[in-house]
Amino acid sequence: MTTKTSIDHIGDYVGQTVCLEGWLYNKRSSGKIVFLQLRDGSGWIQCVAVRSELPEAQFSACQNVTQESSLRVTGTVRAEARSQSGYEMSIESVEIVGHASDYPVTLKEHGVDFLLDHRHLWIRTPRQRSILKIRSEILLAMTEFFANNGFTRVDPPILTPTSCEGTSELFHTKYFEEDAFLTQSGQMYMEAAAMALGKVYSMGPTFRAEKSKTRRHLIEFWMIEPEMAYVTHAQNLEVQEQFISHIVQHVLENCSAELHVLERDVSKLTSVTTPFPRLTYDDAIAWLQENGHEISWGEDFGAPHEAAIASAYDRPVFIEKFPTAIKAFYMQPDPDRPEVALCADLLAPEGYGEIVGGSERIHDYNLLLKRFEEHHLPLEDYQWYLDLRRYGSVPHSGFGIGLERTVAWICGLEHVREASAFPRMLYRLTP
Ligand code: 4AD
Ligand code: MG
């Protein structure tokens, strides 16, 4: 039996005969020789068929195999300095597993709507594979950070009876006879979990019926939400900067081939070291006004404002202490200045905008009750959340990081849609 291996391990088999299982990415041929570019998900390798060395049927199979047909190739591995993988394989036999005719996603340029319609095939290309690989590594780096820092993973529900981040963007569904909503954020559940386990985090899909068609918005996106008991606003920011720099470092160390495929300027990532600059909302407004932007105190930032501020730095920048009036109901007001909240948004460099939103949470029962009334939220639905302030309430903080925006930034993508294997967007539910 020939040893079966994958392209990423091919270097261990120089001079030996192995079997690779994959798909045909591309092909070049002359009358005497055929170069098959094989991909198997772990990498790409050139396999060479020589007419004089193969039975006629085998050679013609190599000549006729079509793009994205699946095949098993057996042959001898050799080092090849000119090839990108550093290796090449001479074909001794080939078996077509599944024929592909008229593969739609050819190697020429396609329009984005066509590609999105064929997303199930588009993800086979080197660029899309690299993005998905980096996304996976980012999740791994996050998990590693949490494990190394005493966090426990807790999974909040997807089907919820109430809203967390405001009622206008909820996805409604029926829960038998009751009304239910797809989760916008697991935060409130994570606050309960933090009171049980101290430091917790969640990772999972969240849903926002936002009518925003921008390059930063998805309808379904993944959020990672840590929550920490006895942690203040200032400590929350320290965790965030360590977390982000750990992720970037992990990707730089483990994904150099993928970053190369994406033609990512890695110097933009190597500068992402702690501490990150901190700017108050007040300072940000003043800076924007000095730099010719029309914005006044009390207004929220738009994408151009965020891009302008971020462009002044070579690493992510915190904007902290936003006006309480424009932020979520659960945010702790600054004791010295209750008109601003102990919160921060983290803006990614290079115009990628807000990737993290976080805050210290209100821990005082009466103040939280007052906020529910001001925001006209139905108290009966939130009694369990108020219980957290009735029974051993403590100062606590947390944040939510958008996975697709983080992937888009680290990979240097034009649009967040490429950061998801099957993006859900305003006018797209398929495939
Ligand atoms: O700032 P947001 O709305 O914060 C929360 O939901 C808090 N409850 C999180 C927490 O403190 N536990 O969302 C957090 C992040 C944003 O910074 C952004 O990265 C991402 O989630 N996000 C989106 N990503 C893609 N498409 C959308 N429509 C997004 N909305 C938010
Ligand atoms: Mg936000």
Side-chain angles (χ1 to χ4, degrees):
M1 260 288 282
T2 315
T3 311
K4 209 160 93 168
T5 189
S6 53
I7 296 169
D8 56 343
H9 289 124
I10 204 80
D12 299 340
Y13 297 93
V14 175
Q16 297 178 44
T17 301
V18 295
C19 173
L20 290 173
E21 297 177 313
W23 294 261
L24 185 76
Y25 177 62
N26 203 0
K27 184 178 71 180
R28 280 186 300 126
S29 68
S30 69
K32 294 187 185 123
I33 192 159
V34 181
F35 298 99
L36 301 182
Q37 272 215 35
L38 187 75
R39 60 166 197 90
D40 71 350
S42 80
W44 282 259
I45 189 167
Q46 176 155 282
C47 304
V48 189
V50 181
R51 170 165 267 162
S52 59
E53 293 170 3
L54 282 179
E56 185 53 39
Q58 288 277 308
F59 188 76
S60 72
C62 292
Q63 274 185 313
N64 297 326
V65 63
T66 50
Q67 187 194 354
E68 287 305 321
S69 291
S70 45
L71 61 166
R72 253 181 222 115
V73 183
T74 302
T76 307
V77 183
R78 59 174 175 255
E80 173 52 72
R82 285 169 301 174
S83 98
Q84 220 205 333
S85 66
Y87 304 96
E88 211 176 63
M89 188 160 128
S90 64
I91 299 178
E92 279 147 33
S93 76
V94 60
E95 177 195 344
I96 310 296
V97 178
H99 177 68
S101 46
D102 303 323
Y103 187 72
V105 186
T106 57
L107 300 177
K108 65 169 211 248
E109 294 254 324
H110 295 283
V112 73
D113 278 323
F114 176 88
L115 289 171
L116 284 167
D117 286 341
H118 294 85
R119 183 65 175 162
H120 50 295
L121 303 176
W122 185 22
I123 53 177
R124 298 183 186 192
T125 58
R127 178 180 164 83
Q128 300 307 316
R129 176 204 167 269
S130 296
I131 297 168
L132 293 177
K133 200 79 193 163
I134 291 175
R135 175 181 165 125
S136 168
E137 286 295 328
I138 288 173
L139 283 166
L140 192 64
M142 290 176 168
T143 307
E144 190 177 73
F145 178 89
F146 291 131
N148 291 342
N149 289 279
F151 286 76
T152 302
R153 176 167 169 160
V154 173
D155 304 315
I158 306 278
L159 289 166
T160 61
T162 50
S163 87
C164 177
E165 290 296 314
T167 48
S168 59
E169 298 163 357
L170 284 172
F171 258 107
H172 178 247
T173 182
K174 289 307 277 187
Y175 192 79
F176 305 108
E177 301 306 311
E178 285 176 71
D179 287 310
F181 306 96
L182 300 185
T183 184
Q184 295 170 303
S185 156
Q187 182 195 317
M188 296 166 91
Y189 297 99
M190 298 314 287
E191 287 181 58
M195 301 306 139
L197 293 143
K199 291 198 264 185
V200 293
Y201 71 100
S202 66
M203 318 185 131
T206 50
F207 306 85
R208 301 217 179 155
E210 280 181 276
K211 292 268 152 75
S212 331
K213 197 168 183 264
T214 78
R215 58 193 194 90
R216 285 158 40 180
H217 285 88
L218 292 171
I219 302 301
E220 175 178 332
F221 62 97
W222 269 52
M223 192 153 44
I224 292 77
E225 297 188 86
E227 193 70 32
M228 300 159 282
Y230 290 106
V231 163
T232 62
H233 167 64
Q235 293 165 331
N236 191 18
L237 301 197
E238 284 170 23
V239 175
Q240 290 176 45
E241 62 193 2
Q242 285 160 16
F243 178 66
I244 301 283
S245 60
H246 174 79
I247 295 164
V248 170
Q249 197 53 44
H250 178 97
V251 171
L252 284 169
E253 279 167 19
N254 295 281
C255 305
S256 56
E258 286 77 16
L259 292 168
H260 180 78
V261 169
L262 297 172
E263 295 174 3
R264 183 68 170 118
D265 177 357
V266 289
S267 72
K268 298 268 202 279
L269 299 176
T270 47
S271 56
V272 180
T273 52
T274 60
F276 296 170
R278 288 148 170 75
L279 206 63
T280 63
Y281 172 87
D282 294 359
D283 292 341
I285 291 286
W287 186 89
L288 285 168
Q289 287 170 343
E290 278 160 29
N291 287 276
H293 292 267
E294 292 235 356
I295 188 163
S296 39
W297 201 95
E299 287 179 59
D300 208 351
F301 301 125
H305 302 127
E306 290 182 350
I309 295 165
S311 70
Y313 303 92
D314 67 348
R315 63 198 73 200
V317 51
F318 288 113
I319 304 185
E320 52 174 343
K321 302 190 180 175
F322 282 74
T324 312
I326 57 169
K327 284 292 184 185
F329 72 91
Y330 52 71
M331 291 184 180
Q332 175 72 29
D334 186 339
D336 302 326
R337 256 184 91 198
E339 71 275 20
V340 299
L342 295 180
C343 67
D345 283 357
L346 184 67
L347 306 185
E350 304 170 74
Y352 284 92
E354 178 201 327
I355 51 168
V356 182
S359 68
E360 191 170 321
R361 325 304 192 183
I362 293 175
H363 63 277
D364 179 73
Y365 177 84
N366 291 314
L367 179 57
L368 188 58
L369 198 62
K370 191 165 147 242
R371 285 285 191 268
F372 278 118
E373 282 156 11
E374 288 166 1
H375 287 258
H376 308 291
L377 291 164
L379 263 187
E380 58 282 10
D381 292 346
Y382 292 92
Q383 284 305 325
W384 69 268
Y385 186 63
L386 281 161
D387 270 355
L388 307 177
R389 280 73 181 169
R390 284 190 187 103
Y391 305 115
S393 190
V394 300
H396 60 287
S397 302
F399 61 94
I401 177 166
L403 180 61
E404 290 77 7
R405 286 191 193 173
T406 305
V407 172
W409 160 51
I410 292 178
C411 292
L413 311 181
E414 282 280 304
H415 196 296
V416 80
R417 65 188 164 218
E418 279 184 277
S420 169
F422 297 99
R424 304 291 89 150
M425 297 184 293
L426 191 50
Y427 300 114
R428 179 173 291 278
L429 183 59
T430 46

